[in-house]
Amino acid sequence: MKTVRILIADDHEVVREGTRLLLERQPNWEVCGVAKTGREAVEQAKTLRPDIVVLDVGMPELNGLEAARQIKSLLPTTELLIFTGHENEELIREVFDAGAKSYILKAGAAEHLVEAIHA
């Protein structure tokens, strides 16, 4: 079975590390990189070529939506999941317009993030 390579981008260390621990418990999943800014996420995605990128919306240097657009442009087959604490209808539209496949709220992370990546 193929290993799924995942890049995590979030500006909060506790969220990055907690997400890493959650995802690495899954069989055949590997966190290949972590980024704390949107710009780092784009650069790491170019280098690491992950299967999936989990992006926070509110990051310094480059927000998650713009990072998603750039990553999708560079790596059209890479799947994008937006992982955020913000919930509003306009943001949800923007997330999908940016090329993301999923919009996951951090409040339900443990259950929903793993399900979304499986999907």
Side-chain angles (χ1 to χ4, degrees):
M1 188 171 202
K2 180 184 179 255
T3 297
V4 177
R5 300 178 71 246
I6 304 166
L7 170 64
I8 300 167
D10 196 292
D11 58 327
H12 294 99
E13 182 177 7
V14 70
V15 174
R16 282 192 314 270
E17 293 308 312
T19 303
R20 175 198 288 263
L21 290 172
L22 174 69
L23 299 181
E24 287 184 335
R25 286 190 291 187
Q26 302 302 310
N28 301 314
W29 289 9
E30 170 195 357
V31 174
C32 62
V34 292
K36 57 186 171 191
T37 70
R39 193 165 318 288
E40 283 181 16
V42 173
E43 291 304 313
Q44 286 192 34
K46 279 195 278 191
T47 303
L48 300 171
R49 306 183 73 77
D51 300 301
I52 297 171
V53 179
V54 178
L55 291 160
D56 182 23
V57 171
M59 290 186 289
E61 294 182 22
L62 190 66
N63 71 44
L65 292 174
E66 185 54 36
R69 288 182 193 100
Q70 290 184 24
I71 292 167
K72 200 63 173 172
S73 174
L74 293 165
L75 304 166
T77 61
T78 295
E79 299 293 349
L80 305 172
L81 283 79
I82 299 296
F83 187 45
T84 184
H86 306 285
E87 182 179 14
N88 72 56
E89 216 171 286
E90 183 179 329
L91 178 60
I92 293 169
R93 273 194 301 277
E94 289 181 55
V95 163
F96 291 111
D97 287 347
K101 290 282 186 190
S102 290
Y103 178 91
I104 311 296
L105 290 174
K106 289 179 180 176
E111 178 183 339
H112 300 296
L113 183 60
V114 170
E115 287 176 9
I117 291 174
H118 272 293

